[in-house]
Amino acid sequence: MDIKALIRDIPDFPQPGIIFRDITTLLRDPQGLKYTLDLLSEQCAPLRPDYIVGMESRGFIFATPLAYQLNAGFVPVRKPGKLPAAAYSQEYALEYGTDRLELHKDAIPAGSRVLITDDVIATGGTAAATAKLIQQTGGELVGFAFLSELTFLKGRQALPDVPVISLIEY
Ligand SMILES: O=P(O)(O)OC[C@H]1O[C@H](OP(=O)(O)OP(=O)(O)O)[C@H](O)[C@@H]1O
Ligand SMILES: Nc1ncnc2[nH]cnc12
């Protein structure tokens, strides 16, 4: 199955010079969605995560079914002001702009195994900020899993030294 063929390229979105990798065309394809989630869970299973952390909003799409398939819990990392209980907060830079991410302080028990999942790693800013949030909880970061990787942005270099899984590269 050619996952890349199901992802649509949109030039100059959300700003000039960015080629946006639009996963909605993959998500709406029943076989493509199943194949992608099965491959992701197969590659992540050896990391034996207790919790899958997904970043709002596209990270949620892959993190939740992955948690279901791996018998793990799902933990959301959200944009500012969305989480109702006490939260850690971390600023980060995007391929296009800056933002903050938040994580409930009591979401991850110290010592538990945590896998961070998102649809794409670009500069790595989002994933690196999420790793810093996990660090504050005392959870053990066991790896990252992305559907796709924009290799020319060298996002991996921004990440801590744990396994990084990505299914396709641009
Ligand atoms: O590696 P980076 O440079 O940090 O970029 C990757 C992040 O950018 C996108 O999220 P975005 O903030 O656009 O939000 P969305 O998921 O709500 O669309 C994407 O879903 C990743 O989370
Ligand atoms: N080029 C891109 N396409 C889709 N999502 C992104 N997030 C950051 N950069 C992106």
Side-chain angles (χ1 to χ4, degrees), residues 54-116:
M55 297 82 113
E56 182 175 358
S57 55
R58 278 176 274 155
F60 293 176
I61 297 167
F62 297 99
T64 308
L66 189 60
Y68 175 78
Q69 281 180 308
L70 297 181
N71 291 308
F74 165 72
V75 173
V77 158
R78 298 214 60 181
K79 307 260 164 97
K82 300 284 189 181
L83 290 173
Y88 296 117
S89 185
Q90 183 70 47
E91 195 176 32
Y92 68 108
L94 272 174
E95 192 184 4
Y96 37 80
T98 68
D99 211 337
R100 296 189 76 80
L101 287 176
E102 296 184 347
L103 170 68
H104 272 151
K105 287 186 174 175
D106 62 359
I108 292 173
S112 51
R113 298 173 65 83
V114 180
L115 174 70
I116 294 173

Side-chain angles (χ1 to χ4, degrees), residues 6-142:
L6 290 169
I7 296 176
R8 177 166 59 179
D9 293 348
I10 310 282
D12 301 320
F13 181 90
Q15 60 192 47
I18 303 286
I19 301 173
F20 192 84
R21 308 300 180 175
D22 177 18
I23 56 167
T24 64
T25 41
L26 168 68
L27 297 172
R28 68 182 292 282
D29 185 280
Q31 288 81 26
L33 180 62
K34 180 168 171 43
Y35 178 81
T36 302
L37 288 170
D38 286 349
L39 188 60
L40 207 53
S41 64
E42 187 184 305
Q43 295 200 12
C44 292
L47 297 172
R48 296 180 292 104
D50 300 308
Y51 296 95
I52 312 290
V53 170
M55 297 82 113
E56 182 175 358
S57 55
R58 278 176 274 155
F60 293 176
I61 297 167
F62 297 99
T64 308
L66 189 60
Y68 175 78
Q69 281 180 308
L70 297 181
N71 291 308
F74 165 72
V75 173
V77 158
R78 298 214 60 181
K79 307 260 164 97
K82 300 284 189 181
L83 290 173
Y88 296 117
S89 185
Q90 183 70 47
E91 195 176 32
Y92 68 108
L94 272 174
E95 192 184 4
Y96 37 80
T98 68
D99 211 337
R100 296 189 76 80
L101 287 176
E102 296 184 347
L103 170 68
H104 272 151
K105 287 186 174 175
D106 62 359
I108 292 173
S112 51
R113 298 173 65 83
V114 180
L115 174 70
I116 294 173
T117 302
D118 208 347
D119 66 322
V120 58
I121 176 168
T123 64
T126 305
T130 302
K132 286 183 186 152
L133 290 168
I134 305 300
Q135 199 178 13
Q136 291 187 76
T137 66
E140 182 194 350
L141 181 63
V142 297

